[in-house]
């Protein structure tokens, strides 16, 4: 079912060699055929907890192309939970590939308007959902909570090589918080934000604080969002296609392509001294490519 530990592979590229920088990719996209990437890590302990508490229903939130919705639907089917996906916005038929998969996996889709979606974590919203569906185990948007952070710590424990920087893409910040937490102050972590704005620095600090962790060896880079979440630019897609062709590693335009574009640019502008060794986490998300016709 799952294939752990996931492989770590070195990228051979003259653009890197010229700067004397080494780049390795931790292939989390290969950890599970359906619940792939960081979403598998984030769900793992949540599923265990839900089982332990005797829940049969999982409820979670996401956009219409969400990797997390896709993963939760797949996990529900595989591990015997009923699932409810609270989806931001209106229903659009025919369903896009993400929601079509979720529905086929048995997920009930519950649409709410964007204004209500912003209030999804408030107790009134949860109460209404419980009135409608009965009791459920709630997994937050993007799967991010303390148990998700614990799951993502295990990405770090699997890396059996030295490195100076560990990089990953950032959406809600749960994954990068897990990497920071797993490293216990060693090395440096750079999270590449897929979202516009600089709120994620605070968000990640808060997630770490809630888990009782205080580390200073990390930063969030906000220069490579390409216009914001789910936005792309031709230069990004070109980079992605070239990278895939050269290295035979599929990427997604929302997260992993943005991170690698950023890493390559920082390397080329000389931010990292020769001899630097970077590990980038491929967080999966390949199902999302379909939404871009890729
Ligand atoms: C969800 C997702 C992320 C963002 O993870 P967070 O823990 O929300 O920051 C990064 N990459 C991929 C491929 C994802 O699906």
């Amino acid at each position: 079912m799952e294939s752990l530990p996931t492989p770590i592979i070195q990228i051979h590229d003259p653009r890197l060699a010229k700067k004397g920088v080494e780049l390795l990719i931790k292939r989390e996209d290969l950890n599970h055929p359906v619940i792939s990437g960081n979403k598998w890590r984030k769900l793992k302990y949540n599923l265990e907890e839900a089982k332990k508490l005797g829940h049969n229903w999982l409820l979670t939130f996401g956009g219409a192309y969400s990797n997390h919705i896709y993963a939760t639907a797949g996990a529900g089917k595989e591990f015997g939970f009923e699932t409810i996906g609270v989806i931001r916005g209106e229903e659009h038929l025919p369903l896009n590939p993400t929601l079509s998969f979720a529905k086929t996996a048995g997920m009930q889709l519950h649409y709410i308007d964007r204004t209500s979606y912003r209030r999804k974590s408030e107790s009134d919203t949860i109460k209404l959902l419980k009135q409608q569906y009965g009791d459920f185990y709630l997994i937050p948007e993007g799967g991010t909570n303390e148990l998700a952070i614990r799951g993502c710590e295990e990405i770090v424990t699997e890396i059996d090589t030295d490195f100076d920087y560990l990089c990953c893409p950032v959406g809600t910040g749960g994954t990068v918080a897990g990497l920071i937490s797993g490293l216990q102050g060693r090395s440096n972590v750079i999270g590449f934000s897929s979202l516009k704005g600089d709120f994620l620095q605070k968000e990640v600090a808060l997630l770490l604080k809630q888990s009782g962790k205080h580390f200073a060896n990390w930063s969030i880079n906000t220069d490579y969002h390409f216009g914001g979440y789910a936005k792309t630019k031709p230069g990004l897609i070109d980079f992605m296609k070239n990278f895939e062709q050269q290295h035979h590693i599929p990427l997604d335009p929302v997260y992993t392509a943005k991170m690698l574009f950023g890493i390559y640019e920082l390397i080329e502008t000389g931010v990292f001294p020769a001899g630097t060794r970077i590990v980038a986490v491929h967080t999966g998300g390949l199902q999302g490519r379909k939404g871009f016709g890729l």
Side-chain angles (χ1 to χ4, degrees):
M1 180 190 60
E2 77 209 70
S3 89
L4 298 172
T6 55
I8 186 160
I9 57 129
Q10 179 140 17
I11 300 296
H12 298 285
D13 194 324
R15 288 167 72 186
L16 307 173
K18 211 169 73 194
K19 295 288 177 180
V21 172
E22 283 185 277
L23 176 62
L24 297 97
I25 299 200
K26 171 78 172 152
R27 296 287 307 270
E28 287 293 294
D29 55 314
L30 300 176
N31 63 5
H32 189 286
V34 174
I35 320 165
S36 140
N38 62 343
K39 299 305 185 284
W40 169 233
R41 303 281 186 176
K42 294 171 95 175
L43 281 170
K44 183 178 155 193
Y45 289 113
N46 276 294
L47 298 175
E48 274 186 30
E49 182 73 2
K51 273 254 147 75
K52 206 165 81 193
L53 297 173
H55 284 285
N56 295 320
W57 288 82
L58 308 175
L59 179 140
T60 196
F61 307 90
Y65 293 92
S66 162
N67 294 330
H68 169 65
I69 288 288
Y70 188 97
T72 305
K77 183 161 184 225
E78 183 159 334
F79 298 102
F81 293 98
E82 303 290 336
T83 53
I84 303 156
V86 179
I87 310 299
R88 181 181 61 230
E90 291 163 19
E91 180 180 44
H92 292 286
L93 294 173
L95 293 176
N96 73 38
T98 304
L99 295 182
S100 172
F101 168 85
K103 195 167 176 193
T104 307
M107 182 176 259
Q108 286 196 36
L109 302 176
H110 176 108
Y111 296 88
I112 59 174
D113 66 78
R114 284 160 192 275
T115 314
S116 312
Y117 191 85
R118 261 177 244 125
R119 293 198 296 265
K120 63 187 170 306
S121 325
E122 292 175 16
S123 55
D124 285 355
T125 311
I126 307 298
K127 214 165 108 190
L128 277 173
L129 287 166
K130 288 208 164 155
Q131 274 169 13
Q132 186 168 347
Y133 293 106
D135 202 18
F136 48 72
Y137 182 83
L138 187 142
I139 304 175
E141 182 177 49
T144 291
N145 59 15
E146 262 189 72
L147 292 173
I149 292 174
R150 213 172 102 201
C152 290
E153 288 174 358
E154 293 178 356
I155 299 172
V156 174
T157 27
E158 276 184 17
I159 303 175
D160 58 357
T161 177
D162 288 336
F163 53 86
D164 304 293
Y165 288 88
L166 186 58
C167 299
C168 81
V170 179
T172 62
T175 305
V176 74
L179 300 183
I180 296 162
S181 178
L183 279 169
Q184 305 272 5
R186 285 175 293 132
S187 187
N188 294 285
V189 180
I190 308 174
F192 288 83
S193 177
S194 287
L195 286 74
K196 217 170 168 163
D198 52 9
F199 60 96
L200 274 162
Q201 183 85 24
K202 270 194 195 137
E203 197 65 34
V204 174
L206 184 67
L207 286 168
L208 287 167
K209 199 169 152 209
Q210 283 165 352
S211 320
K213 307 278 166 73
H214 301 271
F215 297 113
N217 59 330
W218 61 276
S219 61
I220 303 295
N221 180 304
T222 55
D223 296 333
Y224 299 100
H225 58 70
F226 290 87
Y229 186 72
K231 301 266 179 13
T232 69
K233 298 216 162 118
L236 176 68
I237 302 295
D238 286 348
F239 169 85
M240 179 173 142
K241 288 189 171 155
N242 284 333
F243 185 89
E244 291 179 339
Q245 214 167 35
Q246 262 177 51
H247 303 294
H248 309 288
I249 299 175
L251 303 176
D252 84 295
V254 180
Y255 291 109
T256 51
K258 289 180 180 177
M259 165 187 69
L260 280 167
F261 188 106
I263 292 173
Y264 266 75
E265 192 165 279
L266 293 178
I267 290 171
E268 282 179 341
T269 53
V271 168
F272 304 107
T276 302
R277 214 165 135 84
I278 302 169
V279 173
V281 179
H282 190 315
T283 41
L286 298 171
Q287 71 85 24
R289 289 169 61 106
K290 295 197 193 100
F292 292 85
L294 290 164

